[in-house]
Amino acid sequence: MSLTFYWYPKCGTCRNAKKWLDQHEVNYEPVHIVENPPSREEIRDFYQKSGLELKKFFNTSGMKYRELGVKDKLKTASEDELLDLLASDGMLLKRPILTDGEHVTVGFKEDEFERVWTK
């Protein structure tokens, strides 16, 4: 199983997820989410495969989120507008994002990682 791990090294949640993956000997390819953010189509693919609402892909605690007033935009924006917004800046994406091309997890919850990534 080849995993892609989109992360931001300064993010504590990302570091915790990386530590968990390393401890469980899960192989992954790390991708810096700000330097190499996923494309709009990749984000759409993650969204469709995750089963999550699109708004769950936003980093609601980030400065960019607050600066751009995204909270208010979420109420009226179309799916296409939200995808464009997410693709515009890696700092707007909730992280880490982990995918094997079939499954996708967003954020780090140990029980979810256990269920999805240790097979």
Side-chain angles (χ1 to χ4, degrees), residues 10-114:
K10 293 181 182 176
C11 166
T13 302
C14 292
R15 289 193 308 267
N16 289 338
K18 182 181 184 308
K19 182 179 175 183
W20 187 94
L21 291 168
D22 292 342
Q23 287 174 340
H24 289 80
E25 299 179 356
V26 176
N27 293 322
Y28 58 89
E29 182 68 36
V31 177
H32 194 296
I33 201 165
V34 177
E35 294 173 0
N36 298 298
S39 70
R40 183 185 192 282
E41 287 313 307
E42 287 173 312
I43 295 168
R44 179 192 299 279
D45 189 53
F46 298 161
Y47 157 59
Q48 290 172 339
K49 289 178 177 168
S50 72
L52 298 170
E53 294 177 71
L54 191 52
K55 67 182 181 181
K56 297 286 187 186
F57 281 81
F58 282 92
N59 176 12
T60 58
S61 60
M63 285 189 337
K64 268 288 186 214
Y65 182 87
R66 290 191 296 273
E67 283 172 13
L68 297 175
V70 175
K71 182 179 180 183
D72 296 327
K73 293 177 184 178
L74 287 176
K75 297 170 188 158
T76 58
S78 70
E79 180 178 298
D80 282 333
E81 289 169 327
L82 294 178
L83 285 166
D84 287 340
L85 193 55
L86 284 166
S88 72
D89 190 325
M91 291 301 278
L92 285 173
L93 285 160
K94 185 175 177 88
R95 54 193 181 257
I97 297 174
L98 195 56
T99 184
D100 62 2
E102 195 176 319
H103 305 94
V104 177
T105 56
V106 179
F108 174 59
K109 293 186 182 87
E110 199 167 324
D111 58 337
E112 182 180 30
F113 267 43
E114 187 80 37

